[in-house]
Amino acid sequence: MRSWYLLGASLSASLGSVFSFILPYCLFLNFQQNHLLHVVSNAMQVMLYLIPFLIVLAFLFYVIVLSVLKLPSKIFDVRQFLKISLVFFTGWICLVLMILFEDQVNTFDVETFAMSLFIFVAVLPVFAVGCISANICYFLMCKKNDRGFGKPRRI
């Protein structure tokens, strides 16, 4: 990907994936705490403090991963989605195993490992939204520059 296309697609993917994760979570927190209207809700704290941090992390993740991958050919490219989820799965499992093996008091905790796999499966729709929004942004930027989808520019 060219640099501006990469930055635009990464920004679109990070915004799409973070908001597709945060908005349902904040609605759940607001629904859970709706009887305390005079207190600042947990949903507002999540919106104010967690969103900027997650957007920066997701942007850096998508910049790194999308720069390595080939250009997309469809809006929902299954190969691209599988590669992105494989990269995240590798990093996630390395983090979980490092935490589990660092604890020398207890033996290997299978329940924690199973819960981490469940969390990974729960995050897969968020990655799907990020991939779709990145590809849509890429195709719109290509169309705007009058190149079409992989066609050279006419002079």
Side-chain angles (χ1 to χ4, degrees):
M1 256 190 222
R2 298 183 84 184
S3 60
W4 289 111
Y5 295 155
L6 176 66
L7 291 178
S10 299
L11 182 66
S12 173
S14 64
L15 289 175
S17 61
V18 167
F19 283 118
S20 70
F21 171 71
I22 290 293
L23 290 179
Y25 182 65
C26 289
L27 288 174
F28 169 73
L29 288 177
N30 195 20
F31 177 74
Q32 180 186 14
Q33 200 181 21
N34 64 355
H35 62 282
L36 301 173
L37 295 176
H38 63 280
V39 179
V40 175
S41 68
N42 289 337
M44 286 304 293
Q45 290 176 353
V46 167
M47 293 284 281
L48 290 175
Y49 301 126
L50 191 61
I51 284 180
F53 179 71
L54 285 179
I55 287 176
V56 170
L57 283 179
F59 177 74
L60 292 175
F61 171 76
Y62 279 113
V63 163
I64 292 169
V65 172
L66 290 176
S67 65
V68 175
L69 296 177
K70 293 181 182 178
L71 294 177
S73 59
K74 298 181 270 187
I75 296 291
F76 184 70
D77 197 1
V78 177
R79 284 185 177 176
Q80 181 186 28
F81 174 69
L82 290 176
K83 288 178 183 177
I84 288 176
S85 60
L86 178 67
V87 167
F88 182 75
F89 180 74
T90 305
W92 180 253
I93 291 299
C94 287
L95 177 69
V96 168
L97 289 176
M98 182 179 68
I99 290 171
L100 287 176
F101 289 140
E102 188 179 274
D103 187 19
Q104 297 173 358
V105 177
N106 297 331
T107 59
F108 184 75
D109 193 9
V110 178
E111 295 165 354
T112 304
F113 190 71
M115 184 57 75
S116 69
L117 290 177
F118 175 73
I119 290 171
F120 171 73
V121 170
V123 171
L124 283 178
V126 173
F127 286 132
V129 169
C131 290
I132 290 171
S133 62
N135 292 344
I136 288 173
C137 180
Y138 173 73
F139 287 136
L140 288 176
M141 289 175 78
C142 284
K143 195 173 192 179
K144 182 181 176 190
N145 285 338
D146 195 27
R147 287 190 178 183
F149 301 123
K151 296 178 183 175
R153 179 179 251 172
R154 294 182 186 180
I155 297 176

